[in-house]
Amino acid sequence: MTERGSVSVELGLLIPVVLVLLAIVAETAAIAQAQVALVHASREGARAAAVAPDVADAVDAVERSLPVRLAERASVSVERSRGVGLPVRVTVRASHELFRFVGGVPVVLGWTTTMRSER
């Protein structure tokens, strides 16, 4: 076998490994981006729930702060006790598919934020 032929074989074996590594990096970035958006939305919802007595205001704040594609898959839960200084808890969850281009593995991302009610 010539040196030229062995280089071609090595490159042929290396390309799939590089593609898999690139796919893992891309999926990690997508999950990190979605998680950061969920954390931000949860905080916005908790802030709205802490200052407004209506739970719908908190849900609207969460939906406004999420990107459209993520908001379509998200669910929001608001737990609120009546009274000043009592905890308000907002949970945001969204489904995500890992490697959806090869069948996909479903995962659920989410975050919960707790604040004290101001009203």
Side-chain angles (χ1 to χ4, degrees), residues 39-98:
V39 169
H40 175 70
S42 176
R43 289 178 179 166
E44 288 294 320
R47 189 173 299 119
V51 298
D54 190 11
V55 171
D57 292 341
V59 174
D60 288 341
V62 168
E63 290 173 352
R64 279 192 315 268
S65 66
L66 284 173
V68 175
R69 292 184 70 187
L70 191 56
E72 294 170 351
R73 303 184 314 246
S75 65
V76 181
S77 146
V78 180
E79 299 172 29
R80 174 184 185 95
S81 301
R82 295 284 180 199
V84 176
L86 296 176
V88 173
R89 183 172 291 123
V90 176
T91 302
V92 182
R93 296 195 186 287
S95 61
H96 182 78
E97 266 192 281
L98 293 173

Side-chain angles (χ1 to χ4, degrees), residues 3-75:
E3 186 175 317
R4 194 172 196 180
S6 66
V7 170
S8 297
V9 170
E10 290 171 4
L11 182 63
L13 293 173
L14 187 63
I15 287 176
V17 173
V18 170
L19 290 177
V20 168
L21 289 175
L22 286 174
I24 290 171
V25 168
E27 284 297 327
T28 302
I31 288 175
Q33 181 181 20
Q35 184 65 34
V36 167
L38 291 174
V39 169
H40 175 70
S42 176
R43 289 178 179 166
E44 288 294 320
R47 189 173 299 119
V51 298
D54 190 11
V55 171
D57 292 341
V59 174
D60 288 341
V62 168
E63 290 173 352
R64 279 192 315 268
S65 66
L66 284 173
V68 175
R69 292 184 70 187
L70 191 56
E72 294 170 351
R73 303 184 314 246
S75 65

